[in-house]
Amino acid sequence: MKKILLSLLLLVTLLYPGCEAPPLAEPSESNEPLSREESAPPLLFAQPEDLGVPLAPRYADDPAQRIAMTPRDLVIFRGNLYVGSGDWGGNLGPVEMYCYDTTQKRWIHSGTLPDEEVSVFYVIENTLFTPGTDPRDDWSWGNLYFLKDGIWQTKRTIPGGIHCFDLAYVNGLLFAAVKTEGEALQAALSPDLGETFSLLPLRKNGAPVTDVRFYFDLLTIGENVYAICDNEMCRYNGTAFAYETSWEDAVKRKQYNTPKRMNLFLAKAAVGETTYFTTGAFYACSSSNHLREIELPENAIAYDLYIYENNLYVLCNLFTEEGYTVTVYRYLPAEEQFIRETAFKSAIPAVSFACDDTAFYFGLASNNTKHTDHGRILKIEK
């Protein structure tokens, strides 16, 4: 048949030399006619590489302690993937710090922290920090941990810091969300990256802000730092955190059957003058009075955010009949679009992730801590 068509085209060209014959289409693999409105191609799912459960030797044999295997945060710092773990509610420390060497492709023990939980990492002035969520030391001072030459170090410099749940850094000032004795909420301020701290009160209408839950979040919007408790926002004014506004019921929390975090925010990230955060729902704010929810694809739930080379990535989970679809989107703020970077099927959700030039890394967790995938770290090549 193809030879006949070629002969006819050659005859047309000879009879009508001014005409250019149209290109001959390659034969279709299917006998079905093509639709005028072509549907989107089916989604392809990656097959992740299993990097194991780094904390299994410590906790796997004790069902009451497996919650501490939860990979609470992931970060890539100087070629190593660091994993936050532990559980301060169950006092399951000290925390064994493991990192995955992305070059040598092996797990390394980088130290033991005198704390019940490592819940979040921050890279500040080229140094990796994590706050002392629940130090095992006495309560006279709170802890701040940092990485030096690949080994974790401790600064016991937060006055009365029984707990420290969050950090923020703006214009050379390091802020810590701390719990001291009593119900009055206070933040700690350091002008020298944690060498010294002083306590700052949270105030509303001149009175101290109190909360029996004793925890709050810090949020940076532009050059302003806010302490947020029960959706009430107190802004740092140079001497204290003073009440400015309330988000009331504007911020909602959504989460699957995964280990809970005390904090309102699961993750937060700043791009330019806009701060993004997720509570399961995905939000953007350019000031305390300009907050909006951004609809996620397929009404998925956002668990983590990660900034890499000025790109904002969003980790989402979507419950399906087979389990969960785990997807990483790259969010384009100017176009307000989500670009699907990778996705895979999982029996339980991914609660944390990180990425570099070559790969995405995921931490899996479930309230069913007996699940064999709880605490597992996965890798997908880019």
Side-chain angles (χ1 to χ4, degrees):
M1 176 62 71
K2 189 172 182 179
K3 290 182 178 180
I4 295 174
L5 290 173
L6 288 170
S7 300
L8 290 173
L9 289 170
L10 178 60
L11 179 60
V12 170
T13 304
L14 292 173
L15 293 175
Y16 302 94
C19 296
E20 182 176 345
L24 182 67
E26 289 295 323
S28 171
E29 294 293 331
S30 172
N31 292 326
E32 295 295 327
L34 293 175
S35 170
R36 291 187 178 183
E37 296 181 359
E38 293 192 35
S39 59
L43 294 178
L44 299 178
F45 294 99
Q47 297 297 320
E49 177 185 352
D50 184 3
L51 301 184
V53 184
L55 287 161
R58 167 77 181 275
Y59 297 110
D61 294 335
D62 188 342
Q65 294 192 5
R66 287 178 61 91
I67 184 68
M69 293 162 47
T70 302
R72 300 188 180 277
D73 197 17
L74 298 181
V75 65
I76 297 176
F77 184 73
R78 296 182 178 172
N80 291 327
L81 174 73
Y82 290 89
V83 182
S85 62
D87 183 67
W88 76 275
N91 292 323
L92 298 179
V95 177
E96 304 293 342
M97 297 299 292
Y98 285 92
C99 65
Y100 181 76
D101 187 320
T102 60
T103 301
Q104 299 185 21
K105 303 184 185 308
R106 64 187 182 95
W107 288 101
I108 300 170
H109 185 264
S110 62
T112 302
L113 297 188
D115 212 290
E116 310 295 358
E117 178 179 314
V118 170
S119 59
V120 63
F121 295 107
Y122 292 98
V123 178
I124 301 172
E125 297 291 348
N126 298 316
T127 300
L128 185 61
F129 286 90
T130 185
T133 302
D134 188 6
R136 295 167 66 87
D137 304 296
D138 69 83
W139 289 356
S140 57
W141 298 93
N143 290 2
L144 181 67
Y145 309 109
F146 66 101
L147 197 66
K148 182 178 182 181
D149 299 326
I151 303 298
W152 287 98
Q153 311 286 329
T154 303
K155 295 181 180 182
R156 284 185 52 75
T157 52
I158 304 175
I162 301 172
H163 300 288
C164 182
F165 293 105
D166 205 0
L167 298 175
Y169 183 71
V170 174
N171 295 331
L173 299 178
L174 178 64
F175 298 85
V178 300
K179 161 60 180 172
T180 57
E181 291 191 271
E183 292 186 1
L185 298 181
Q186 299 184 87
L189 170 63
S190 172
D192 47 22
L193 281 182
E195 294 297 324
T196 59
F197 278 95
S198 56
L199 295 178
L200 301 172
L202 275 62
R203 298 190 178 279
K204 181 178 181 181
N205 300 325
V209 175
T210 61
D211 195 289
V212 294
R213 295 173 303 172
F214 64 74
Y215 63 88
F216 61 97
D217 295 88
L218 295 173
L219 187 68
T220 302
I221 307 176
E223 294 188 352
N224 291 310
V225 180
Y226 291 88
I228 303 177
C229 178
D230 197 25
N231 280 340
E232 293 197 336
M233 303 184 67
C234 297
R235 183 175 61 85
Y236 175 63
N237 60 14
T239 57
F241 279 87
Y243 174 81
E244 183 174 276
T245 189
S246 174
W247 280 344
E248 296 179 348
D249 298 325
V251 176
K252 56 190 177 184
R253 192 168 186 171
K254 299 192 298 182
Q255 197 169 338
Y256 285 128
N257 188 30
T258 53
K260 297 291 189 291
R261 285 193 61 179
M262 294 289 287
N263 301 62
L264 171 65
F265 305 130
L266 296 176
K268 50 197 174 181
V271 180
E273 295 299 314
T274 302
T275 295
Y276 299 87
F277 63 84
T278 174
T279 61
F282 183 46
Y283 294 92
C285 56
S286 55
S287 73
S288 62
N289 295 313
H290 292 85
L291 170 73
R292 62 189 180 91
E293 182 179 355
I294 300 173
E295 183 177 351
L296 291 163
E298 301 181 286
N299 291 317
I301 292 183
Y303 266 77
D304 203 1
L305 306 175
Y306 201 83
I307 297 285
Y308 183 69
E309 292 188 342
N310 296 319
N311 289 311
L312 174 60
Y313 295 93
V314 185
L315 170 67
C316 290
N317 291 280
L318 181 66
F319 180 72
T320 67
E321 293 181 355
E322 297 81 20
Y324 294 87
T325 298
V326 180
T327 307
V328 173
Y329 295 99
R330 179 164 49 92
Y331 180 65
L332 305 180
E335 297 84 357
E336 295 191 353
Q337 292 182 352
F338 291 91
I339 306 300
R340 182 178 180 268
E341 294 288 331
T342 191
F344 65 96
K345 296 289 189 178
S346 178
I348 63 175
V351 297
S352 55
F353 87 119
C355 69
D356 59 12
D357 283 332
T358 62
F360 293 99
Y361 298 86
F362 302 86
L364 306 185
S366 170
N367 273 346
N368 176 18
T369 59
K370 295 180 181 179
H371 197 285
T372 56
D373 285 340
H374 178 75
R376 192 170 303 280
I377 309 298
L378 303 178
K379 172 185 176 182
I380 295 177
E381 298 280 353
K382 285 187 176 180

